[in-house]
Amino acid sequence: MIIVTGGAGFIGSNIVRELNNRGRTDILIVDNLGKGEKYKNLIGLKFIDYQHLDDFLQTFTKSDFFGLNIDAIFHEGACSDTMEYDVNYMMRRNYEYSKDLLTFCINRQVPFIYASSASTYGAGQNGFRESEECESALNPYAFSKLMFDRYVRQFMEDSRSKIIGLRYFNVYGPQEQHKDKMASIFYQIYKRMKLGGKFIKLYRGTDGYKDGEQKRDFVYVKDVVKVNLWCMENNLPNGIYNCGTGQAHTFNEVAKAVIDTLGYGKIEYTPFPDELIGKYQNFTQADMSKLTNAGYRERFTPLSSAVREYFQFLDNGGHY
């Protein structure tokens, strides 16, 4: 059996989808479906059971999972709202819950592959390498992820269980629409344009960047899934690894790829929000050398190709 926390969410549901494509249906999905339409992400997937995240925590802490053969836990579940400023809530959901899962996996020698975040690099002034001198946090979400990474490092060297943390950069692609304002800029633009919009709204320049020239390492969710499954299937040293493309694109380049795909649209620059000043990553670009040195050789999907495939997916209904 494989357990996927956050299995109804964006990256988690895509992991389940690819596991299905590879013939695996013995999957337990753990999540919180809430009051929205996240449940739609599960309709096209095959799995043996679903549990609410709180019920799952109670179940495995009472040892109900002992005796079961668990091949791996993909821990994708988290509160990913970068505008959530209840730090205690963020730490309970993203830090304490993750610690309990890690302890279970270490005691049972179950491979533990979990979602970290490029937000742990803060503004990135010291680079984007998987080392402490590069790390910082601009909001409670980033802080919770960074604290868990630092907690995990205490156990990685001596653990007989596989422990892999993947620092996701700016992920986009199918099954993210339930994230609403936290969905990628690609989905935000698509939604606006399909509702009759004519302008792709980007931020004006800030911190020395010209209008729309802020850069991010945008990575297609299908490539993120490939990295996750490769980590499950291959022997690599325990550690925290970047999961991006290693190439940054400006938001102007994103807008151009969207315009080329849709066949229409113009860019409009809007004032930079006051509430994001000092809390915004103007530039991200993964240093992928650690994952490459561990043996990963897959190519990442070019931006233009991914946008075309993603928008076609949305045009066809937006769910598996």
Side-chain angles (χ1 to χ4, degrees):
M1 181 173 69
I2 294 174
I3 299 172
V4 183
T5 73
F10 173 32
I11 297 173
S13 66
N14 277 279
I15 289 175
V16 175
R17 172 71 171 185
E18 182 56 28
L19 286 169
N20 288 170
N21 290 340
R22 300 185 184 193
R24 297 296 298 260
T25 59
D26 55 333
I27 302 165
L28 171 63
I29 289 178
V30 178
D31 213 313
N32 175 16
L33 295 180
K35 298 179 180 180
E37 295 189 342
K38 185 195 275 188
Y39 72 90
K40 291 183 177 180
N41 285 350
L42 295 179
I43 293 174
L45 305 180
K46 297 179 181 179
F47 49 95
I48 56 173
D49 203 0
Y50 163 87
Q51 277 191 311
H52 185 273
L53 59 90
D54 293 332
D55 296 333
F56 174 69
L57 184 64
Q58 294 176 7
T59 300
F60 81 77
T61 54
K62 291 189 298 186
S63 302
D64 289 0
F65 280 98
F66 280 87
L68 292 178
N69 182 22
I70 303 173
D71 294 328
I73 292 181
F74 291 97
H75 181 36
E76 306 298 314
C79 174
S80 59
D81 188 347
T82 58
M83 300 303 291
E84 172 60 69
Y85 282 89
D86 184 338
V87 185
N88 287 328
Y89 170 78
M90 195 66 80
M91 290 299 284
R92 285 195 302 272
R93 184 62 70 212
N94 294 357
Y95 180 68
E96 296 295 342
Y97 197 99
S98 300
K99 284 169 58 181
D100 289 340
L101 273 180
L102 175 67
T103 299
F104 173 84
C105 288
I106 290 175
N107 290 340
R108 291 286 309 279
Q109 295 185 35
V110 173
F112 182 65
I113 302 167
Y114 75 92
S116 181
S117 169
S119 67
T120 56
Y121 294 118
Q125 64 269 25
N126 296 318
F128 298 91
R129 301 181 311 280
E130 304 93 329
S131 56
E132 292 190 15
E133 63 267 22
C134 298
E135 296 171 352
S136 184
L138 298 177
N139 53 54
Y141 167 74
F143 176 75
S144 68
K145 288 294 188 177
L146 179 56
M147 289 302 100
F148 185 62
D149 281 351
R150 291 181 174 177
Y151 180 80
V152 166
R153 283 185 175 127
Q154 302 175 77
F155 305 96
M156 282 184 163
E157 186 173 342
D158 297 327
S159 175
R160 290 186 293 174
S161 175
K162 178 184 290 187
I163 304 173
I164 303 294
L166 294 174
R167 283 185 171 165
Y168 299 149
F169 279 67
N170 290 86
V171 189
Y172 65 99
Q175 306 247 109
E176 64 168 320
Q177 50 266 55
H178 68 280
K179 292 169 66 67
D180 196 24
K181 66 181 184 297
M182 289 294 113
S184 74
I185 186 174
F186 299 90
Y187 179 69
Q188 304 291 353
I189 294 173
Y190 175 89
K191 182 179 179 180
R192 186 181 304 121
M193 302 298 274
K194 290 296 181 176
L195 290 174
K198 297 180 180 179
F199 293 96
I200 296 173
K201 296 183 178 182
L202 304 178
Y203 291 144
R204 290 178 185 165
T206 183
D207 296 329
Y209 288 85
K210 296 180 180 179
D211 294 349
E213 287 297 300
Q214 300 93 338
K215 287 186 172 184
R216 296 285 182 87
D217 190 333
F218 297 103
V219 55
Y220 196 36
V221 68
K222 292 186 178 181
D223 295 323
V224 170
V225 170
K226 287 181 182 178
V227 173
N228 272 274
L229 296 190
W230 183 87
C231 289
M232 179 183 73
E233 296 168 348
N234 289 271
N235 292 322
L236 69 162
N238 284 351
I240 297 167
Y241 295 84
N242 283 337
C243 186
T245 66
Q247 180 179 3
H249 290 279
T250 68
F251 285 92
N252 285 325
E253 290 176 304
V254 168
K256 183 180 184 303
V258 169
I259 292 169
D260 289 345
T261 298
L262 295 178
Y264 64 93
K266 295 182 180 180
I267 298 174
E268 179 180 78
Y269 299 106
T270 62
F272 193 85
D274 291 340
E275 63 268 22
L276 291 181
I277 294 175
K279 303 170 186 176
Y280 186 80
Q281 289 179 307
N282 289 298
F283 174 79
T284 66
Q285 181 170 283
D287 182 334
M288 295 298 292
S289 57
K290 185 175 180 180
L291 187 65
T292 299
N293 291 339
Y296 192 76
R297 296 290 184 270
E298 292 285 338
R299 293 185 177 182
F300 291 87
T301 310
L303 183 71
S304 58
S305 301
V307 171
R308 285 195 300 271
E309 180 179 296
Y310 181 26
F311 281 17
Q312 182 178 17
F313 178 86
L314 291 171
D315 286 341
N316 290 333
H319 292 94
Y320 292 125

